[in-house]
Amino acid sequence: MKFENSLEFAQKLDQIDPLKKYRDEFHFPEINGKPVIYFTGNSLGLQPKRTKAIVDEVMSDWAQLAVEGHFYAEKPWWDYHERLAAPLAKVVGAKTAEVSVMNTLTVNLHLLMVSFYRPTQKRFKIICEEKAFPSDQYMLASQVKFHGFDPKDAIVEVKKRDGEHHWRTEDVIAKINEVGDELALVLIGGVNYYNGQVFDMENITKAGKATGAFVGWDLAHGVGNIELKLNEWNADFAAWCSYKYMNSGPGNASGVYINEKHLNNPDIPRFEGWWGTKKETRFLMKPEFEPMENADAWQISNASILAVAPYLASLTMFEEVGMPALIEKRDKIVAYLEFILHEIDAEVDSSFEIITPKDRGCQLSVLLHGQGKSLFDYLMKNGVITDWREPNVIRLAPAPFYCSYEDMYRFGQLLKKGILSK
Ligand SMILES: *Cc1c(COP(=O)(O)O)cnc(C)c1O
């Protein structure tokens, strides 16, 4: 399709957008009395309007039933989280038994390290990407130290090449092969938070497993954004948060995937609590731990229902729409945004550079040469919510559920004004 940088053209794309009715299903913050142009669905997704009713249901069950809500609520709390596994498994390309919802992302990564990072003197190294999301870096370093190793020896970062803004798959795989039988674990963010790159998870998983290591993925920026086939790729584990592309509310519950071959495997240890025991006998309060036969065996505490309820609301939307339709719109709206950026770049003769490679999901990261943070401030003041990363990058994620083509056009006009006003 040949794009045009005009309001009429953008509105035409909106009219024929199969997902157009979903824009109305979200609450938009307003700036200057108008709904914002929201580019930060990669950080905190907008609130779906249907979420409130599901949360209110929990609140009124709690008010009316108190403890009895565990068994007699509209959706009983004792197995509430189980409702999420099947729709979520579809989103991440897993079997229902391989998926569970619990805790928060970094906490779950730590818990999964208990199972999948068990270093020996010979095999103790971890491969990750350079400049991984800080929480992941802190998590890895603290785990390595906990096991008595020095992060300087144990953590091997795959670097980008000089002058390049993305990682090359061949460099990741070469590093895996180089570390070889010293490699205990590969743990990478499947979609990089900074440049928006989608890693070749299939081939990296294959290479990591060929050395005898475990391979896990942090999918904070992947879930609800790109096509995932965790089971087919044979990943050992993955974890993600629910508040970015999955629109489940600030700090809300995380999801985990544990490959089916590790379920009920006595060689895989884990930290345990009562919510991981067989639900039929859980309340007999027996001294021995009888694990659930699915990923729920990794559950520790009783589920935080008020955190899980918004995730359930969000998943009903993913069920209705399905990832293929979301991905189709994602590709089109991101391509349109890219087109607009190039148009504006040419019109104002400025220089900015899209550093996101072709393997991408919903996010374009734009490196500004020349304009500084004042441009970002101008955009924010004029109703564009985007984010700024040092030294000079704005990240734009037009989430396909609720962003419109008209948003992209209007953003382009504001960008132009912002650049010319200086
Ligand atoms: C957003 C994000 C996190 C956030 O971790 P929390 O434990 O949910 O605070 C962690 N890792 C990555 C890669 C992220 O993108």
Side-chain angles (χ1 to χ4, degrees):
M1 173 181 275
K2 203 169 158 347
F3 290 137
E4 291 170 29
N5 182 19
S6 73
L7 180 60
E8 297 69 39
F9 183 83
Q11 287 174 336
K12 204 165 69 194
L13 289 181
D14 283 325
Q15 276 155 25
I16 58 170
D17 172 10
L19 301 190
K20 68 178 171 215
K21 78 171 170 120
Y22 283 95
R23 184 174 171 85
D24 254 1
E25 289 241 14
F26 288 87
H27 291 289
F28 280 75
E30 296 196 346
I31 292 180
N32 307 331
K34 283 200 307 232
V36 297
I37 298 170
Y38 197 70
F39 279 124
T40 42
N42 57 353
S43 189
L44 180 70
L46 292 180
Q47 183 186 132
K49 291 179 181 166
R50 65 177 75 178
T51 299
K52 190 168 186 302
I54 292 195
V55 174
D56 283 349
E57 182 183 277
V58 177
M59 294 298 283
S60 60
D61 283 336
W62 175 25
Q64 286 156 29
L65 301 168
V67 73
E68 297 286 276
H70 279 296
F71 297 103
Y72 301 110
E74 178 69 28
K75 301 182 183 71
W77 304 330
W78 74 302
D79 60 0
Y80 194 103
H81 59 280
E82 292 184 8
R83 293 162 199 271
L84 286 81
L88 194 48
K90 274 196 232 169
V91 173
V92 298
K95 297 186 178 172
T96 301
E98 295 175 315
V99 168
S100 188
V101 169
M102 58 195 202
N103 312 311
T104 45
L105 173 54
T106 311
V107 170
N108 281 338
L109 287 172
H110 276 295
L111 292 172
L112 289 163
M113 294 291 275
V114 170
S115 300
F116 298 105
Y117 181 60
R118 296 177 350 259
T120 62
Q121 284 310 316
K122 167 108 187 97
R123 198 183 264 285
F124 63 96
K125 293 189 176 172
I126 299 174
I127 283 184
C128 64
E129 73 281 33
E130 73 171 327
K131 299 208 177 107
F133 191 88
S135 197
D136 300 42
Q137 292 185 44
Y138 309 146
M139 181 280 293
L140 288 176
S142 63
Q143 283 283 340
V144 160
K145 285 190 270 184
F146 174 74
H147 286 285
F149 294 92
D150 184 340
K152 283 206 285 299
D153 306 325
I155 296 179
V156 180
E157 294 185 348
V158 182
K159 310 236 181 278
K160 290 174 257 186
R161 295 189 188 184
D162 281 348
E164 293 188 352
H165 295 294
H166 68 285
W167 290 266
R168 296 194 187 197
T169 305
E170 70 231 56
D171 292 352
V172 182
I173 290 177
K175 188 61 82 180
I176 287 172
N177 292 332
E178 183 190 315
V179 178
D181 57 10
E182 290 183 343
L183 184 61
L185 174 69
V186 178
L187 181 64
I188 293 176
V191 178
N192 183 256
Y193 81 99
Y194 189 84
N195 72 353
Q197 172 175 2
V198 178
F199 281 83
D200 181 346
M201 287 184 251
E202 180 170 16
N203 284 309
I204 293 170
T205 302
K206 200 184 284 169
K209 299 209 58 75
T211 68
F214 287 121
V215 179
W217 294 98
D218 181 332
L219 296 174
H221 283 258
V223 69
N225 174 19
I226 63 166
E227 182 180 39
L228 295 166
K229 297 181 179 171
L230 290 172
N231 178 273
E232 195 183 308
W233 297 337
N234 198 26
D236 291 296
F237 68 94
W240 52 89
C241 51
S242 62
Y243 48 80
K244 293 175 178 170
Y245 293 103
M246 295 212 71
N247 313 318
S248 301
N252 258 346
S254 160
V256 298
Y257 154 88
I258 295 152
N259 188 292
E260 58 189 335
K261 64 178 179 282
H262 301 310
L263 306 174
N264 303 304
N265 178 351
D267 294 335
I268 300 289
R270 69 186 154 235
F271 286 170
E272 295 174 338
W274 69 322
W275 237 244
T277 61
K278 284 225 164 74
K279 61 176 182 173
E280 295 76 15
T281 52
R282 185 174 300 153
F283 296 99
L284 301 180
M285 307 296 199
K286 297 196 293 189
E288 65 277 13
F289 184 88
E290 286 182 294
M292 292 285 289
E293 288 177 356
N294 54 24
D296 289 343
W298 272 257
Q299 294 248 349
I300 295 179
S301 294
N302 73 101
S304 174
I305 303 301
L306 284 166
V308 174
Y311 202 177
L312 181 59
S314 149
L315 279 165
T316 64
M317 303 183 83
F318 279 84
E319 274 287 272
E320 277 167 31
V321 173
M323 283 310 296
L326 273 172
I327 287 169
E328 201 181 316
K329 172 160 179 200
R330 177 202 73 192
D331 285 343
K332 194 165 163 183
I333 198 166
V334 173
Y336 190 54
L337 173 61
E338 185 178 32
F339 164 81
I340 298 273
L341 285 166
H342 288 313
E343 289 285 298
I344 302 302
D345 194 26
E347 279 179 36
V348 300
D349 197 24
S350 85
S351 56
F352 42 79
E353 182 187 355
I354 298 175
I355 60 170
T356 304
K358 282 289 165 234
D359 296 323
R360 67 191 186 192
C362 189
Q363 174 181 327
L364 293 181
S365 299
V366 181
L367 179 61
L368 304 171
H369 298 295
Q371 306 91 16
K373 193 150 182 295
S374 59
L375 175 61
F376 165 79
D377 293 335
Y378 174 89
L379 291 170
M380 289 292 281
K381 233 190 278 147
N382 285 281
V384 180
I385 301 195
T386 169
D387 86 3
W388 173 266
R389 292 285 137 151
E390 294 298 335
N392 228 7
V393 166
I394 51 173
R395 302 185 305 163
L396 306 167
F401 248 127
Y402 46 74
C403 288
S404 69
Y405 295 91
E406 184 174 332
D407 286 342
M408 302 306 110
Y409 169 77
R410 292 194 185 282
F411 165 69
Q413 295 305 301
L414 285 166
L415 183 65
K416 185 160 113 182
K417 267 199 211 148
I419 293 170
L420 293 179
S421 72
K422 278 188 291 85

